[in-house]
Amino acid sequence: MRFMMLFASVLCFTFVLVAGDVTGKIVFEGAAPTPARLRMDADPVCKRAHKEPVVGEEVVVNKNGTLKNVIVYVKDGLGGKKFDPPKEKKLFDQIGCVYTPHVLGVMTGQEVDIVNSDPTLHNVHTLSKENPSFNRAQPMKGMRMTEKFMKPEIFKVKCEVHTWMGAYIGVFSHPYYAVTGNDGSYTLKGLPAGEYTVEAWHEKYGTQQSKVKVDASGKVTADFKYKGN
Amino acid sequence: MQHFIEILTKPDNIPITLLLVSCIFFTWLYWVKAKKNDSQEMPDEAKMDDKVQVWPYLVRVEFIATIAVMALLVVWSVFLDAPLEEPANRALTPNPSKAPWYFLGLQEMLVYFDPWIAGVVLPTLIIVGLMAIPYVDINPKGNGYYTYKERKFAVLTFCFGFLILWVSLIVLGTFMRGPGWNFFFPWEKWDPHYVAVLTNVDLSEYFGIPTRLPDNTINPVAFVFGAACVFGFYAIGPIYWYLKRNDEIMQKLGLLRYAIVSFLFLTMMGLVIKIILRLAPLMFGINPVKYVWVTPWFNI
Amino acid sequence: MLFEDRAKIPVEKRSYAKYYLIFSGLLFLGTAWAVWDEVRIRRPWKEYQTEYRELLSARLDSLRQVALENRDQERLKALEDELAKAKSALQSEEYTKAVEQKNDLLADLDIATREWRFARSRSDAAYYQYKKSLQTGINVEELKAEVAKHDADIESYFHRMEEINKQIALLDSVIYKYRDAVVRLEAELAQINSAANAYGLKLERAQAAPIAIRQVILNDFELTPFSEIKARIDRCQTCHVGWSEPLMADAPQPFKQHPLPELLAKHNPENFGCTPCHRGQGPALTTGFAHGEADKYWETPILRGVDVWASCNSCHSNESVLKHAPPFTKAKQLLLESGCFACHEIKGYTDVPKIGPPLNSLPAKVRPDWLFRWVKNPKDYNPHTRMPRFQFTDEEAEAITAYLMKIGRESNFQLVRARGTFAGGSSNRGKVIFETIGCTACHVAGENTAVRTKRGTTYDIAPELTRVGSKANPDWLFDWLKNPRHYNPDTRMPSLRLTDDEARHVVAYLMTLRDNRKLDPVNLALDDPAKIARGDRLIREYGCAGCHAIKGMENEGKVSVNLSDFGRKKYEQMDFGDTRELPLNAEVDYQENPDGTVSVKRTWAGWVYGKLKNSRLYQTDRISQKMPVFGFSDEEIRLLRMFLTSMTRDVPLPTYQRAFDRRQQEIEAGRRLTMHYNCVQCHTLEDRGGYLLASFEAEPALGPPPLPESQGAKVQEQWLHGFLKNPTIIRPWLEVRMPTFQLTDAEISQIQKYFLGLSKQELVIRDYASTTLDPQYLAPGRKLFDAYQCLSCHFTGRIPEGKSFADLAPNLALASSRLKPEWIVDWLRDPSKLQPGTRMPTYFYGGEAPDRTVFGGNAEEQIKALATYVWSIGSRARQAPASGQ
C-alpha cells in the first residue's frame, strides 16, 4: 500500500508540467589559501608546456569572492524518475599535464571523451567505488577514449606518471547538476515543481545541503557558503 | 510456587493432576454412599429391583458418554501438544530421567531398596497379591453395593495400598522429584546443582554394629541383627495367628489363606516402615536408615 | 433436583435426545475448531506467503508503473498512432478482398491437393496390379494403360496446385504489405514496453506462485547420536520467501533478502537449505519452533548475530582463512594468537608451535625482580601483552621466579660479545632506524599505535617496547638484534640485517624507553630449594609449558579440558560459582553490578561470556581455577564464544564437507606459516593484514608491497627461494626492509606452494635463464618500449635522478631474473586484473594497441614484443651487471 502511495506521489510530481529553476552562488569566506605550486620537473614535456608557474586547482577563489569547481546537484526529491542521457559528449582533456576541466559533471550513460593533448605518457586512473575503476595509459598525443559511467557518484581521477595531476568527475542520474565556474554561480534548469534537497560538493571543503521548494513561480535561489581555514 | 504451577501444568503432567483430583472425588463419592448404606437396613442399590436391558438402555448412555469424551479429547488436542523432549542421545541422558507416570511408584521405591527388591521382588509380589485376592477374600458381602462396615479390612487395605502408596508415590515422583532425583518441595526451583545431604546409615549402625568389617566383607553380627529385624517383623503374622487362632474369622480363613494375607500385608506395611525409617529421622536431625538388613545378595 | 425428578421417570421412558444433541454438537464444533486450528492457526506461513505476494506485487507494480512512465512518451504516441493507422488500413477494400480471394483459393488448393494425393494412391495400387500381372501374364497391357492414366491425373492435379499457389503468392504480396506494417510497429512498441513488460511478467509470476510449503531435503546429511545416517528437512523458505529477491533487500522479516548473496552463490539454499548454517528446527513451520527458541528441548536453536559464523567450522574446520566469513577468520586468528590450544585440546590445533618464548636462559635477558613482577601480573608491565594474568600470589610468583632463574643459571647460553656491545650508540639515530626499517610492524614503542589500531586486537603480536629499557639487558638486546636465533632458535623475530653500528644505535634508543613508575622494591629468596621445588610444581600445575619451552618439562600434557565437543555442553553441566543469576529474558548475558558482584545468565552463552571475561569468575572458596585472565574485549569474547559454539562433534557427513585436496592443504599450511611469521603484519595477503601500511597512509607505495593472489604466477621459484633466504633489494627507494627470517628450505617450499596454490599453478622445475627470445620481436619491442614511455616510471639499472622515490616503479633489469615470462605478458595485458588498484596503467584496453604503427596495432603481438624486450634488458644486465643497485 505504501508503495502505491509513493508511486502515486511520484506520478503527481511528474505529471505537473510546471517547472522552475534553482540558482545561486557559492560564497567563500575567509582568507583564500595560497595555491600549491605544481613542480613539473619530473617530465620535461610538462615543464616546457608552461611558461608561467602552474598552481594547483584544489581551491580556486574567484575575484568576486566565490568558489570555483563546486558541484551543485539535486540529491533528493526526484523520486524514481529516470532520465535519458544527452546525446552530446563531454570532454575531459589532459593538456599541459593538467586535467581540464578540473571538475567535470556528467550524466549516467553520457559519453565522455578522455583526450591526451600532450606529447607525453599520461594515464587515467579513476578511483571510483560504484563504477568499475580503471587505469589506462595514453602514451601518444591525440589519443582519445570514450567512456560511460553508469552509476552516480563523485570520484577522483589521477595520473600515476605525474603525481600532481588530479581531477574529479561527478556522475549523476539526472540532468539537474552544475559546476561553478569563474563567477561562482550555478543554475539548475527546468526542475519540475516539488521539494528537493540540493547539495553542494567541494573536493576540500566537503558537502553542504539545502532544502528548496520549486513551485509554479519558477525561480528559487539557494546560496551556499564555504569558510576557509 | 511459580515453579510448581509450571510443573503442574506441563502437558504430560496434566493427566496426573487429573488423576489426583479424580481419586479424591471417587473416594469421597464412595464414602458418602457407603456411609448412607451402612446406616440403613438395606443398601440403596438393593432397593433398585427395576431391571432393564443393556441394549439399548445402557448402550445409549454409553454412546453419549463416548461422544462427550471425544469432544473433550478433541478440544484437549487443540490446546495441548504432544510433549516431546530432546532427541535421544546415549551420551547425554535427560536429567531427571523419569519412567512413564504409571511406573513412577516403582521408580520411587528404588530410592528405598536395592534394585533387586524394588525392581523385581516387590512388583512381582504386587502382581501375585492382586491375583491372590479372589482366593483369599472369603467375605461374600459388599457385592454390588457400597459399604464400609462390612468390608473394613478390604477397604482400608485397598485405600492404603492404592491411594496412599501407589498414587501418592506417583504424585511424589512426578511433582517433587527434580534433577538427580532429588526431593524438591513444590515451592522450590529445580536446581540442577542441588546438593543433598548424604548421611544414610544402616540400622545396625545405630547400635554400634558396623555393617561391614574393615576388609569390606559383611559383618556377621550385623547380618544376624538385620535378619533378626526382618524375620522379627514377619513374625508378627504367626504371633497374631497364635493370639487370635480361635476367632471365627481365623477359623474361616484357614492357615494357608491367613499366611498369604499376612505375608502380603506385612510386606506392604514394611515398605511404608522403610520409607518412614528413611524420611522421618531427617526431621529429628538423626541420620536416616539406609538398609535394615544387608546381605551379599540383596539389601532390605 | 433435576436429576431426582429425572430418576423418577422409568429408564425405558427417559429421553436422551437433548444430551445427544448437545454432545454431538460439541463434538462437531470441537472437530471444526481442530480443523481450523490445524489448517490456519498452526500454519501462519500461509498468511506470510499471502502477505509476501502482496508486497512483491506492489513493488513490481510500482516499478512497472515507473517503467511505463519512463517510456519515451512522444515516440510512444507516434507509434500508437501509426499502429492504429496501420490497423485501420486492414479494413481497406484491397486488403479484405485479397484475404477473401486467398481464402477461396486455399479451399481450392485443399481440394486439388486431396485429388492429387488420391491419384497418387490410385497409381500406386494400379502399379502393384500391373507388376503382379507381369508374373502371371494376364491383362498386362490394360493394367499398364491404367497406370499411365493415373499418372496423367497426378500431373494435371499437380499443375493445378502450382497454379493456385502462384495466385496465392500474388495475393500474399498484397496482404503482407499491410500486415508487415502492423507487425513492425508492434515489435517497436514491444521494444519500448520491454522494461515494463518484464516487470509485468514477473508480477504475473509472483501472483501465480502457489501458497505451499517450500522444502529442501538433504539426504545423507548427518548422523544421529546413534550413528545412523539422517536426512535433514528444511522448510525455512516457506516463510522466508524473499531470501533471493533483490527487491526485498529492505523488506521486513521474514521477507527480507539474504544480506550476503555472494555467500549464497557458494551455498545455494535451494539445494543446501538454511539450517546447516543458521541452525534452528528445519521442519517446523511456526516462528518459535522453527527458530528452535520456543522449544527448550531443541538442542540447536537459531544462531543469532555473530554466532551464525560458527557454522562455517562444521565443514571448513581445516581452513583458517575464509574469504566470505571475516568474523570466522578473525575468531580463528584470535584463537591461534591467544594460544588457547596450549592448554585445551581443540580439533585442528593439535600441532601448532608454542606461542611463547623459551624460558631456559632468562638471566641473560632480564633481572629477577622484573621477572617476579611479570609473573605476578604481566599486564602491569605491558597492558597489551598476550601473556595472560595467572593471579599468582607473591609467594607463588617468587617460587616460579626461583625455578626459572635456577634453570637459567644452568643454561649454557652465552652472549656473543665479540661483535661489540651497545655502548656508543646514538639513541636519536636508533629511533630513526627503529621507526623506518619496519620494527613498528610488530612492536609498539611509545605513542605510535597506528599498527595496533589497524590490527584491532587487544593484544600485540610482539612485545610492546615502551618500557623495554627497564626490562632487558642491553648486551642481550644487542645479541638478539644481531641474530635473534642465537638466543631462541625457534623465534619468529627476524633479523633485519642490522650492521653493528645500526644495532648499537637501536639498542641505545631502546634503552631510553624506561619504566618511569615507582615500583616497590622486592626481596626475593631465589636459592631456597623448597621455593625452587614449589616453582617446579606450580609451573607444571598451571601448564606454563603449553606456551613456553621450559627445561625439564618437554613432555607435559595439556592441563585443561578438551574443547572438541564443548559447544554441546549443557548449562546444567556448568558451575556458575558465586555469581548472581541474571533472568533469562535479560538483554545481556553478563552484567557487572554496582556493588561489585557479577550477574551471569544461566545459559551456555552466559557462562562462556563470563569465563572469557574473567577466567576466575566462577572460582569459589572451595573450587579453585587455573585458567588465567586474558582481558579480551567484548568483541573478542563474542568471536571466541562464536568459535566455541562451533566446537561440536556432530558435523555434516563428508559429502557436504569442503574437499580438502592437496592444493588446499598446501594453501592452509602456507597460511599458518605466514601467520606464524607474521608476514601479514606488513604484506596484504588474501585481503588481510598489511597493518604496517597504517604508517604509510599518505604514500602506500613507500610501504611494503602487497602480495596479490597472483604472486605465485608472478615470480620465479628460484628467485623467491633466494629472496626469502637472503632478501635482495628490489625497490631501492623503500626504507622499510624485508627481514631475513632464517627460514628453512622446507618452510620456503611451503610458502612457494602457498603462493602457487593461490594462483592455481603447479610447481614446475624450469630454467628461466635459458628462456629463448624470438629475435624478430626484439626491435619492435624496443620501439614500443620508447613509444609507450615505460621509463617514465620504471628504470633499468640505475635510479634516475630528479624523480621522487614515491613515483618510481621497479627496476626492469631485474625482470628476467625475477619474473615469470608468462606473467609479464598477463601483466601487460591487464595489470589491474592481477593486482587491483595497482599504479601500472593498462595500455591495451579493449584489445587495442595505442600505437598503430607496430604490428599493425595488433595488441597481442605488441604485448609479446614488449615482454620480449623487457626480458632482454635483464639478460643483458646479467651479463654485465649494472652498477648502483
Side-chain angles (χ1 to χ4, degrees), chain C residues 8-232:
Chain C
K8 285 176 188 151
I9 306 169
V11 173
E12 292 94 330
K13 297 268 162 65
R14 282 182 208 161
S15 162
Y16 287 89
K18 206 162 56 186
Y19 298 97
Y20 177 71
L21 186 72
I22 290 169
F23 285 124
S24 47
L26 281 178
L27 180 60
F28 175 77
L29 288 177
T31 311
W33 183 7
V35 169
W36 176 251
D37 183 66
E38 180 60 34
V39 302
R40 203 71 225 184
I41 296 173
R42 283 170 187 253
R43 297 187 188 201
W45 55 270
K46 288 188 175 172
E47 209 149 305
Y48 281 141
Q49 289 195 357
T50 319
E51 210 178 304
Y52 176 75
R53 186 149 76 183
E54 279 163 19
L55 191 63
L56 184 62
S57 301
R59 289 192 178 191
L60 284 169
D61 194 49
S62 76
L63 280 173
R64 194 169 66 98
Q65 299 293 356
V66 171
L68 286 173
E69 187 52 31
N70 278 330
R71 290 178 302 181
D72 187 338
Q73 299 295 344
E74 280 173 35
R75 175 130 180 73
L76 182 70
K77 185 96 189 25
L79 273 176
E80 275 171 354
D81 287 350
E82 263 184 71
L83 183 64
K85 224 183 273 168
K87 276 189 175 162
S88 69
L90 295 184
Q91 309 297 328
S92 73
E93 205 181 328
E94 188 186 9
Y95 177 76
T96 46
K97 213 166 165 191
V99 171
E100 236 169 70
Q101 283 173 353
K102 188 183 169 184
N103 284 343
D104 292 347
L105 283 170
L106 283 174
D108 288 351
L109 184 64
D110 269 357
I111 296 166
T113 311
R114 200 185 64 186
E115 288 306 325
W116 172 69
R117 225 184 296 122
F118 285 178
R120 274 197 340 182
S121 182
R122 286 191 198 102
S123 159
D124 287 348
Y127 187 70
Y128 164 75
Q129 295 295 348
Y130 161 62
K131 280 282 152 184
K132 213 177 157 193
S133 70
L134 284 180
Q135 291 168 24
T136 56
I138 303 165
N139 284 345
V140 173
E141 285 309 314
E142 268 173 51
L143 287 167
K144 193 178 179 185
E146 202 181 332
V147 171
K149 194 188 107 206
H150 289 314
D151 283 353
D153 278 356
I154 293 172
E155 195 69 7
S156 82
Y157 285 123
F158 189 75
H159 275 297
R160 171 102 184 101
M161 277 158 63
E162 275 189 333
E163 201 60 33
I164 297 172
N165 274 332
K166 260 182 216 157
Q167 291 179 43
I168 289 177
L170 271 174
L171 288 170
D172 271 352
S173 67
V174 178
I175 292 170
Y176 281 113
K177 189 178 75 192
Y178 286 91
R179 282 201 189 156
D180 280 349
V182 174
V183 167
R184 182 178 53 79
L185 288 168
E186 275 175 347
E188 268 181 63
L189 261 179
Q191 178 64 33
I192 285 188
N193 286 327
S194 65
N197 285 346
Y199 286 124
L201 205 68
K202 274 191 188 165
L203 184 65
E204 260 172 45
R205 224 177 291 146
Q207 281 172 338
I211 302 264
I213 291 176
R214 283 153 214 197
Q215 69 179 8
V216 179
I217 300 177
L218 304 174
N219 288 316
D220 312 340
F221 182 75
E222 60 200 327
L223 295 178
T224 66
F226 297 90
S227 301
E228 276 157 4
I229 290 175
K230 182 173 100 182
R232 183 177 277 231

Side-chain angles (χ1 to χ4, degrees), chain B residues 279-299:
Chain B
L279 298 181
L282 281 174
M283 286 183 241
F284 306 107
I286 313 170
N287 294 338
V289 172
K290 193 175 180 191
Y291 293 123
V292 173
W293 186 20
V294 178
T295 76
W297 316 283
F298 59 86
N299 305 312

Side-chain angles (χ1 to χ4, degrees), chain A residues 1 3-4 7 10-11 14-15 41-43 80-84 119-121 123 125 134-140 143 145 158 160-161 163, chain C residues 55 58-59 61-62 65-66 69-70 72 199 787-790 792-793 802-803 807 832 837-843 845-846 849-852:
Chain A
M1 205 46 224
F3 285 92
M4 297 306 286
F7 155 68
V10 168
L11 271 193
T14 48
F15 279 148
D41 300 330
D43 192 336
K81 179 96 173 110
K82 285 184 184 167
F83 300 88
D84 282 335
T120 186
L121 166 69
N123 72 317
H125 192 173
F134 64 79
N135 177 6
R136 290 172 183 174
Q138 291 188 316
M140 322 277 189
M143 278 190 76
M145 57 182 166
K158 65 171 187 167
E160 305 289 0
V161 186
T163 32
Chain C
L55 191 63
R59 289 192 178 191
D61 194 49
S62 76
Q65 299 293 356
V66 171
E69 187 52 31
N70 278 330
D72 187 338
Y199 286 124
Y788 293 160
Q789 300 168 54
C790 303
S792 291
C793 301
K803 280 226 149 200
D807 298 343
S832 302
T838 180
R839 289 159 36 121
M840 169 85 176
T842 314
Y843 278 77
Y845 38 90
D851 189 336
R852 301 260 161 202

Side-chain angles (χ1 to χ4, degrees), chain B residues 204-268:
Chain B
S204 62
E205 286 166 327
Y206 276 98
F207 304 97
I209 311 165
T211 316
R212 285 174 190 275
L213 294 173
D215 63 356
N216 207 27
T217 54
I218 286 164
N219 184 357
V221 182
F223 180 84
V224 171
F225 173 83
C229 288
V230 173
F231 285 110
F233 175 67
Y234 278 104
I236 295 172
I239 292 168
Y240 187 78
W241 169 265
Y242 180 77
L243 293 177
K244 303 275 182 172
R245 62 188 180 281
N246 295 324
D247 284 13
E248 190 192 349
I249 178 84
M250 290 296 195
Q251 293 296 331
K252 265 192 192 167
L253 205 57
L255 187 59
L256 183 64
R257 273 201 283 258
Y258 172 78
I260 293 170
V261 171
S262 69
F263 174 72
L264 292 173
F265 185 78
L266 284 171
T267 306
M268 185 168 81

Side-chain angles (χ1 to χ4, degrees), chain C residues 612-843:
Chain C
L612 290 171
K613 183 86 183 169
N614 174 4
S615 320
R616 302 288 175 85
L617 183 62
Y618 308 123
Q619 184 164 309
T620 65
D621 40 0
R622 290 217 185 147
I623 301 167
S624 67
Q625 293 184 325
K626 289 190 284 192
M627 176 155 161
V629 180
F630 281 83
F632 292 121
S633 68
D634 283 3
E635 190 213 347
E636 288 168 343
I637 293 176
R638 291 208 176 85
L639 287 170
L640 285 171
R641 184 173 68 179
M642 173 269 281
F643 188 81
L644 285 171
T645 310
S646 77
M647 295 270 89
T648 77
R649 292 217 177 89
D650 34 319
V651 293
L653 290 170
T655 35
Y656 286 89
Q657 299 270 357
R658 171 89 145 103
F660 211 57
D661 59 8
R662 182 183 55 79
R663 176 171 285 166
Q664 280 300 327
Q665 286 170 17
E666 285 171 0
I667 290 178
E668 182 58 27
R671 276 175 189 153
R672 294 254 177 127
L673 196 71
T674 50
M675 275 163 83
H676 178 75
Y677 283 113
N678 296 319
C679 304
V680 287
Q681 290 293 121
C682 295
H683 297 286
T684 313
L685 245 172
E686 295 193 76
D687 298 331
R688 294 176 320 120
Y691 307 122
L692 184 57
L693 287 171
S695 309
F696 295 94
E697 300 252 281
E699 204 47 80
L702 290 182
L707 297 174
E709 289 193 0
S710 56
Q711 186 70 13
K714 176 179 177 180
V715 294
Q716 300 170 9
E717 290 80 5
Q718 295 93 313
W719 177 85
L720 184 59
H721 189 96
F723 181 77
L724 289 173
K725 271 277 178 202
N726 191 12
T728 50
I729 294 166
I730 304 160
R731 297 171 178 83
W733 55 91
L734 296 189
E735 284 178 323
V736 60
R737 292 184 194 173
M738 169 76 184
T740 307
F741 280 91
Q742 308 182 11
L743 299 169
T744 63
D745 286 353
E747 285 171 329
I748 291 177
S749 105
Q750 256 182 7
I751 294 175
Q752 298 263 23
K753 285 177 187 161
Y754 173 43
F755 287 163
L756 286 169
L758 282 185
S759 47
K760 303 193 168 56
Q761 290 211 341
E762 295 295 331
L763 179 61
V764 182
I765 311 283
R766 289 170 67 181
D767 178 15
Y768 292 97
S770 64
T771 305
T772 49
L773 302 172
D774 193 342
Q776 63 155 331
Y777 285 102
L778 210 52
R782 166 89 220 205
K783 199 175 161 219
L784 287 168
F785 191 78
D786 290 338
Y788 293 160
Q789 300 168 54
C790 303
L791 292 178
S792 291
C793 301
H794 291 282
F795 60 100
T796 55
R798 201 186 296 270
I799 299 180
E801 284 173 21
K803 280 226 149 200
S804 102
F805 285 155
D807 298 343
L808 286 176
N811 182 355
L812 292 179
L814 296 178
S816 64
S817 53
R818 174 171 170 244
L819 303 174
K820 294 187 179 174
E822 303 80 24
W823 180 86
I824 301 179
V825 170
D826 287 343
W827 176 254
L828 286 169
R829 197 178 287 131
D830 190 356
S832 302
K833 195 174 144 199
L834 295 182
Q835 191 175 318
T838 180
R839 289 159 36 121
M840 169 85 176
T842 314
Y843 278 77

